[in-house]
Amino acid sequence: MGKVMESIVNADRVEDLIAVFGSFDENIKRIEDSLSVSIVNRATDLKITGEEEAVYKASRTLEGLLSLASKGEQIDEQRVRYLI
């Protein structure tokens, strides 16, 4: 088992977070299940906890999704899977 760590990803706008989370938080659950991490939302911060490599991948995935959301792009299952 690798080193457990946590990382914070910050969203500029709550609207972007809503798009990234998806219906019933399906996108966040997909990232958590795929990478074995825990993602907790605090205001505009997303705290990711898990093994070092998984946390890094989850952070990059969330940053990519937030970037798409800020441009008004639709966040769907295919984009989430692609970024993971």
Side-chain angles (χ1 to χ4, degrees), residues 44 48 75:
T44 57
I48 309 156
I75 306 297

Side-chain angles (χ1 to χ4, degrees), residues 44-78:
T44 57
D45 288 339
L46 294 171
K47 183 172 87 169
I48 309 156
T49 308
E51 291 191 23
E52 190 171 7
E53 181 70 19
V55 167
Y56 174 75
K57 287 179 181 177
S59 295
R60 299 287 300 171
T61 299
L62 288 168
E63 288 165 358
L65 291 172
L66 286 166
S67 175
L68 289 172
S70 71
K71 296 174 186 167
E73 299 279 337
Q74 183 67 33
I75 306 297
D76 57 16
E77 178 182 352
Q78 183 177 358

Side-chain angles (χ1 to χ4, degrees), residues 5 20-21 28 35 62:
M5 64 172 287
V20 167
F21 267 74
I28 295 300
L35 299 174
L62 288 168

Side-chain angles (χ1 to χ4, degrees), residues 3-21:
K3 187 172 105 177
V4 174
M5 64 172 287
E6 70 179 42
S7 176
I8 304 284
V9 173
N10 184 271
D12 294 329
R13 300 174 344 129
V14 173
E15 293 82 4
D16 296 342
L17 275 180
I18 292 168
V20 167
F21 267 74

